[in-house]
Amino acid sequence: MLIERVIGNVGNEEEIAGKKTEWIELDWEELSKRILRTETDHGTDIALRLNQEEPLQYGDILYEDAERRIAIRTKLEPVIVISPKNMTEMGKAAFELGNRHTPSLIDDNEIVVRADHTLNTLLDEVGVAYEKTERRFKQPFKYRGHSH
């Protein structure tokens, strides 16, 4: 199946009663590709040839008919979720992550970073609570250039 444009986004309705959702699972790096050959989780062969400037996003709908729709979601990734108890712990954790140029997402009362075994020792030294788990990211890590 050849897909040339995004037709919508699932928003918060990942599943709809009476309609099957087939997912194309991509890495974050693949979200910005314009030409891609892949399969859905149900085995449907998909060829993407997109004309849009914006990268694909979690939930983008690529195809829809009466019985099914095909949408984008990110793969589960191993992450470290840091849960500071107060502003002091937040500051220490943020300083150390920034000092290492570690891309991170801050949401509510947690900092999420891609799993890296070298961070465990660092976080233990800082004394902040953290857990290793898996997540699907709904927003990309943003890399910002810098110079010294």
Side-chain angles (χ1 to χ4, degrees):
M1 174 182 299
L2 176 63
I3 307 286
E4 295 184 306
R5 65 185 181 95
V6 174
I7 60 173
N9 193 290
V10 297
N12 294 325
E13 297 180 345
E14 291 188 5
E15 301 298 329
I16 294 178
K19 188 177 282 200
K20 178 174 62 170
T21 301
E22 292 186 37
W23 294 101
I24 297 174
E25 292 194 345
L26 300 176
D27 293 322
W28 277 114
E29 292 78 20
E30 294 174 314
L31 290 176
S32 59
K33 291 188 176 180
R34 300 288 144 245
I35 298 173
L36 185 66
R37 186 87 187 231
T38 188
E39 281 188 357
T40 68
D41 60 345
H42 287 70
T44 304
D45 188 39
I46 301 291
L48 294 177
R49 187 176 61 201
L50 302 173
N51 297 324
Q52 66 187 33
E53 294 289 323
E54 309 84 41
L56 290 167
Q57 296 181 20
Y58 185 102
D60 279 349
I61 301 170
L62 304 177
Y63 173 82
E64 188 166 24
D65 63 20
E67 290 111 32
R68 71 176 176 159
R69 65 183 178 181
I70 297 174
I72 298 289
R73 75 176 170 195
T74 53
K75 292 179 181 176
L76 278 172
E77 288 191 48
V79 298
I80 297 174
V81 179
I82 305 164
S83 304
K85 292 184 208 120
N86 54 45
M87 285 300 289
T88 302
E89 284 189 7
M90 173 63 108
K92 287 179 178 180
F95 174 82
E96 294 296 341
L97 293 172
N99 198 37
R100 293 171 49 107
H101 303 286
T102 303
S104 54
L105 298 172
I106 300 172
D107 189 30
D108 293 327
N109 296 321
E110 62 185 24
I111 304 170
V112 182
V113 298
R114 284 183 163 153
D116 176 353
H117 71 281
T118 63
L119 289 176
N120 298 348
T121 305
L122 178 72
L123 295 171
D124 288 338
E125 288 175 9
V126 169
V128 65
Y130 67 93
E131 70 172 327
K132 293 180 251 176
T133 187
E134 289 185 329
R135 292 223 179 143
R136 293 182 199 280
F137 293 107
K138 294 195 176 189
Q139 67 186 56
F141 285 97
K142 292 183 180 171
Y143 295 93
R144 295 201 170 112
H146 71 283
S147 63
H148 291 268

